[in-house]
Amino acid sequence: MADRPRFGPAGVPPTFRALKATLIDVPRLLREEGLDAFEYQAVRWGEKPQIKKEDAEKFGLKAKENDVLLSLHGSYFVNLCGDKEIMVASKNRLIACATASEWMNAQMVVFHVGFYGKKPPKQVFNDCLAALKEVVGEMKALGIKNVKLGPETMGKLSQFGSLDEVLALCENVEQTQPVIDWAHLHARDRGRFKTVEDFRKVLVEIENRLGAEAVKNMHCHFTKVEFTEKGEKRHHILDEMGYGPDFAVLAKVIAEFRLNPVIISESPILDLDAIKMRDILMKEIKA
Ligand SMILES: [Zn+2]
């Protein structure tokens, strides 16, 4: 849970890679940039953690030393509403991610719930709900208590994950927290965020359905996004004109509600845009 607004990149920034930094150097480098969150990318993982327990623990300690709050982005190969075989593998992948998160003291596993395929949305919802409950049950049985599962709002119309669907899952399953990907919502609803009121509506909806704490400590992704009639197409950097949403408008609402969100930059220039967003919010809070 964030104690203040926190910012960081989704994965190791290219600038760090250019320095030949290894994972263990990342928390220190983030601190040097004045960033304080990091989303570890486990997006290609299979059914077993692809980091050694010892390395995950070392990384977690370094993050703690440098006051960097960790989350973990789970495997892209998850589909909780797929065929039986896919569903079983998806559950195992989420358990692998939750296990590694517990090792590194990451507070949540962010994940994409699935695809509608040819099933009706209501059935898809019920299938996902049942599968998610099983995953949480298994996490409990394994003694994984400190990690939440974070279903993400998704940007393509073929993907399960409207705001309503994500909130409904979280209303019905314990040990979950919604992940609000603002770019995805913007793309899914083809440009919905223009005014302060457009952002405020989402926050009010989360608060009404999941309570004040859920909105105060929300976990977010942010980048500018290009979209078509099918939804998300590609991410753009903050300085690129002609794309939304505008972080400065969201910053006004974060300051107004006095929120402490974790904001993960998914911009093509990861950390550099995280710094930019942090500065925009700090200016807004001071004003
Ligand atoms: Zn994602």
Side-chain angles (χ1 to χ4, degrees), residues 4-7 182 196 199-200 203 215-216 218 220 222 247-263 277 281-282 284-285:
R4 57 172 186 270
R6 284 175 176 261
F7 292 85
W182 295 96
V196 166
F199 286 101
R200 203 184 276 142
L203 299 181
V215 73
K216 186 155 182 92
M218 68 182 171
C220 306
F222 202 97
F247 183 77
V249 184
L250 175 59
K252 281 187 200 305
V253 190
I254 292 171
E256 173 196 320
F257 280 67
R258 296 171 186 271
L259 305 180
N260 291 328
V262 176
I263 298 176
M277 289 192 278
L281 179 62
M282 288 311 135
E284 197 56 55
I285 287 172

Side-chain angles (χ1 to χ4, degrees), residues 131-141 149 173-176:
L132 195 54
K133 281 185 176 167
E134 282 176 31
V135 175
V136 171
E138 191 152 336
M139 280 166 62
K140 279 190 197 298
L149 287 180
V173 189
E174 44 184 342
Q175 227 173 318
T176 57

Side-chain angles (χ1 to χ4, degrees), residues 112 114-116 153-162 165 183-190 225-235:
H112 305 170
F115 294 87
Y116 298 112
T153 60
M154 297 309 298
K156 292 196 180 90
L157 292 158
S158 56
Q159 293 169 307
F160 177 93
S162 66
E165 286 167 338
H184 284 168
L185 288 178
H186 191 69
R188 187 179 188 101
D189 297 333
R190 278 136 303 160
V225 69
E226 183 179 346
F227 55 87
T228 67
E229 70 284 353
K230 289 185 181 137
E232 178 189 19
K233 188 173 173 203
R234 80 169 65 83
H235 293 179

Side-chain angles (χ1 to χ4, degrees), residues 36-268:
D36 45 17
F38 181 71
E39 197 148 287
Y40 180 92
Q41 303 293 294
V43 297
R44 313 224 163 261
W45 282 19
E47 296 180 43
K48 292 269 176 306
Q50 283 170 36
I51 185 170
K52 282 192 214 131
K53 185 175 185 196
E54 192 193 335
D55 293 342
E57 286 172 348
K58 269 190 206 151
F59 174 58
L61 279 176
K62 277 284 169 237
K64 196 169 176 205
E65 265 170 46
N66 288 284
D67 190 22
V68 170
L69 193 79
L70 296 179
S71 50
L72 178 146
H73 198 306
S75 174
Y76 288 148
F77 311 112
V78 163
N79 186 0
L80 292 183
C81 35
D83 296 336
K84 181 138 201 284
E85 208 176 308
I86 293 172
M87 211 140 80
V88 170
S90 296
K91 285 191 258 182
N92 290 338
R93 289 183 177 124
L94 284 175
I95 295 291
C97 289
T99 302
S101 294
E102 182 93 346
W103 292 342
M104 63 176 74
N105 205 16
Q107 62 169 6
M108 74 150 67
V109 176
V110 176
F111 73 104
H112 305 170
V113 181
F115 294 87
Y116 298 112
K118 290 192 171 69
K119 294 185 198 170
K122 185 68 198 161
Q123 190 196 336
V124 168
F125 177 80
N126 290 336
D127 288 355
C128 292
L129 180 64
L132 195 54
K133 281 185 176 167
E134 282 176 31
V135 175
V136 171
E138 191 152 336
M139 280 166 62
K140 279 190 197 298
L142 291 167
I144 302 171
K145 298 187 296 279
N146 304 312
V147 179
K148 286 184 175 168
L149 287 180
E152 179 178 339
T153 60
M154 297 309 298
K156 292 196 180 90
L157 292 158
S158 56
Q159 293 169 307
F160 177 93
S162 66
L163 179 64
D164 179 56
E165 286 167 338
V166 164
L167 296 182
L169 282 182
C170 294
E171 281 171 325
N172 286 289
V173 189
E174 44 184 342
Q175 227 173 318
T176 57
Q177 185 182 334
V179 173
I180 307 302
D181 187 309
W182 295 96
H184 284 168
L185 288 178
H186 191 69
R188 187 179 188 101
D189 297 333
R190 278 136 303 160
R192 77 184 271 179
F193 296 117
K194 293 181 188 80
T195 65
V196 166
E197 191 51 37
D198 298 333
F199 286 101
R200 203 184 276 142
K201 259 192 204 149
V202 171
L203 299 181
V204 169
E205 172 95 10
I206 301 169
E207 179 161 10
N208 287 343
R209 293 177 62 171
L210 295 172
E213 285 303 306
V215 73
K216 186 155 182 92
N217 297 296
M218 68 182 171
H219 191 89
C220 306
H221 288 168
F222 202 97
T223 181
K224 278 191 171 181
V225 69
E226 183 179 346
F227 55 87
T228 67
E229 70 284 353
K230 289 185 181 137
E232 178 189 19
K233 188 173 173 203
R234 80 169 65 83
H235 293 179
H236 288 273
I237 67 168
L238 237 48
D239 277 348
E240 226 170 319
M241 303 311 257
Y243 300 104
D246 182 358
F247 183 77
V249 184
L250 175 59
K252 281 187 200 305
V253 190
I254 292 171
E256 173 196 320
F257 280 67
R258 296 171 186 271
L259 305 180
N260 291 328
V262 176
I263 298 176
I264 298 297
S265 164
E266 289 199 326
S267 140

